[in-house]
Amino acid sequence: MATPNAPQGSGQEDVNANTTVAFLGPLNTYSHQATKIAFPDPKWKLEPTGTIKEVFDRVQSGHAPYGVVPFENSTHGTVTFTLDNLADRGGEYADIVVCDEVYLDVHHFLLGRLPPTPSSSSSSSASPPPPSPPPPHLTAQHAVASGSEEKRGTPLADLSHIRRVYSHPQAFGQTGAFVRRYLPHAETVEVSSTSRAAVLAAEDDTEGGMSAAIASEWAGRGVGLDVLARWIEDREDNTTRFFVLRRRGDEKEGGGKGEGDGKGEGDGDGKGDGDAYGGGKYKSLVSFTVPHRRPGALVDVLDCFRRRSLNLTSISSVPSLVGPFQYLFFVEFEGSRFDDPEGRVGGVLEELERVAEQWRWLGSWRNRRREGGSL
């Protein structure tokens, strides 16, 4: 991913604010890894936050020109907290739009302390200790290269001493089969991040450590934990997609943080690395509500996209809070508001004014994953 261009601030922020990227912290989380991919240039100051809402707050206020938040996981689905803030039912984030996306292959590790060894006997006939498991720095890639690929998803040591496992709810959702099979005796404790889980497991001072964490190897290495199992996710293709946020109007509209489909920039003619529609070069996101009691109201909105051959890539919803069991819908589709040579996207947005109760454009950006499916 290309390094973002420095945004043009409003003149009210200090110099550091113009180079700050807020992300869901703490350090050594998957969000931190995704942010480093999106913003590799050392000029960017990566600033962890305690919650997804804080990322939105810092971008909206101008404290950070960009923010990075998890949006969905291929195994466990949409991140509700991100959807809730994009819904903006309280009117706090009117200026925030999505300007890019990052895909991160997510591989979970069970991290903790190796089981305590039995007290050594003074007898010379004492049985030798069991062979040591691979060192913590041995990654899954190393395991494959050394012919131990079969160790993926299986314990490297006895886990009977583990009585408590910390992790983020998303990580538990992505590793359910491993936990049910190998840790049915352990209590699972949800915490704010996988990095925090590793810290809590490291703080366990009982002999051998009765606590473990499900997190990245990176997080475990930072606090000195042993790898008890590697690549424990339910699916080998486990991937999380992150959104890059910015304020509307802070710089040229469009994807790629200044490199893509902006007004007066980008390819313009829809050519280059794929047709703007058939090749899925860009994606856009809108939210809307429909009259709850009008039969076919949602179909009327979706039909606007069908008539213009705009491929829908995802549909999500959250409660609208207007009334019980009424919903705010999100539709993501291929196409850009600003690289729209045939006027298809513009036409859809005009029709939304007619068929939707309320609607909002939430951004256009470069499609970073072309091989994805369609609806």
Side-chain angles (χ1 to χ4, degrees):
M1 184 175 297
T3 302
N5 297 325
Q8 300 298 315
S10 65
Q12 298 177 347
E13 301 89 356
D14 58 27
V15 174
N16 288 334
N18 285 332
T19 59
T20 296
V21 181
F23 68 93
L24 176 63
L27 301 177
N28 298 326
T29 58
Y30 295 108
S31 291
H32 187 198
Q33 294 181 46
T35 306
K36 289 169 71 72
I37 291 172
F39 296 85
D41 194 304
K43 73 181 179 183
W44 295 102
K45 176 187 175 185
L46 309 186
E47 183 176 82
T49 69
T51 64
I52 288 174
K53 184 180 187 302
E54 284 184 57
V55 177
F56 278 77
D57 288 339
R58 295 187 189 191
V59 174
Q60 175 65 35
S61 69
H63 174 83
Y66 294 107
V68 178
V69 293
F71 179 67
E72 64 176 341
N73 175 264
S74 60
T75 302
H76 197 54
T78 306
V79 178
T80 305
F81 295 115
T82 298
L83 267 187
D84 282 341
N85 285 286
L86 286 171
D88 192 26
R89 289 161 294 199
E92 300 176 78
Y93 307 121
D95 297 325
I96 286 183
V97 293
V98 180
C99 67
D100 209 346
E101 64 182 9
V102 180
Y103 287 88
L104 181 70
D105 293 336
V106 174
H107 301 298
H108 294 292
F109 286 60
L110 182 68
L111 308 166
R113 306 293 185 192
L114 295 175
T117 57
S119 300
S120 59
S121 170
S122 58
S123 169
S124 59
S125 62
S127 59
S132 299
H137 64 271
L138 183 61
T139 65
Q141 289 86 345
H142 292 143
V144 173
S146 63
S148 59
E149 186 174 0
E150 69 278 3
K151 294 296 185 181
R152 293 166 55 168
T154 59
L156 302 176
D158 177 41
L159 302 181
S160 60
H161 67 297
I162 299 299
R163 291 289 178 263
R164 187 180 302 104
V165 182
Y166 297 101
S167 198
H168 187 275
Q170 277 276 335
F172 279 130
Q174 297 163 31
T175 58
F178 179 91
V179 173
R180 288 191 296 272
R181 180 173 182 181
Y182 295 109
L183 293 163
H185 57 282
E187 175 191 10
T188 56
V189 182
E190 296 183 353
V191 295
S192 59
S193 70
T194 53
S195 180
R196 175 62 179 162
V199 170
L200 290 171
E203 291 176 347
D204 186 339
D205 59 1
T206 57
E207 183 184 1
M210 298 176 65
S211 297
I214 294 174
S216 70
E217 184 190 23
W218 191 18
R221 187 185 304 169
V223 294
L225 292 176
D226 299 311
V227 173
L228 305 180
R230 64 172 64 89
W231 284 34
I232 65 172
E233 58 274 8
D234 294 344
R235 294 182 57 92
E236 292 183 16
D237 59 358
N238 189 44
T239 304
T240 297
R241 180 163 64 126
F242 297 81
F243 277 164
V244 180
L245 310 174
R246 66 163 177 79
R247 276 167 52 102
R248 187 193 313 263
D250 270 4
E251 62 177 11
K252 294 178 180 178
E253 305 282 4
K257 305 179 294 297
E259 63 168 278
D261 59 344
K263 290 179 180 176
E265 62 175 288
D267 298 327
D269 58 1
K271 300 177 182 178
D273 57 349
D275 176 76
Y277 301 99
K281 181 177 177 181
Y282 299 117
K283 288 190 284 190
S284 295
L285 181 68
V286 295
S287 65
F288 60 87
T289 59
V290 295
H292 179 63
R293 296 186 178 279
R294 193 182 79 199
L298 178 58
V299 173
D300 289 343
V301 173
L302 298 181
D303 200 44
C304 299
F305 296 90
R306 182 193 62 80
R307 287 196 299 270
R308 289 169 174 79
S309 300
L310 290 174
N311 182 41
L312 305 186
T313 55
S314 73
I315 302 175
S316 305
S317 65
V318 296
S320 68
L321 304 186
V322 173
F325 306 108
Q326 298 184 30
Y327 297 92
L328 173 71
F329 296 95
F330 296 85
V331 167
E332 187 180 51
F333 60 97
E334 291 179 351
S336 168
R337 185 178 185 179
F338 300 108
D339 190 351
D340 190 24
E342 299 178 27
R344 301 182 190 184
V345 176
V348 162
L349 299 184
E350 288 179 4
E351 275 208 68
L352 285 177
E353 288 282 358
R354 179 176 59 83
V355 299
E357 201 169 45
Q358 295 180 338
W359 72 277
R360 179 180 171 188
W361 174 77
L362 289 168
S364 295
W365 63 91
R366 279 192 181 277
N367 182 357
R368 302 293 179 183
R369 192 179 183 91
R370 301 294 176 76
E371 66 273 20
S374 61
L375 298 178

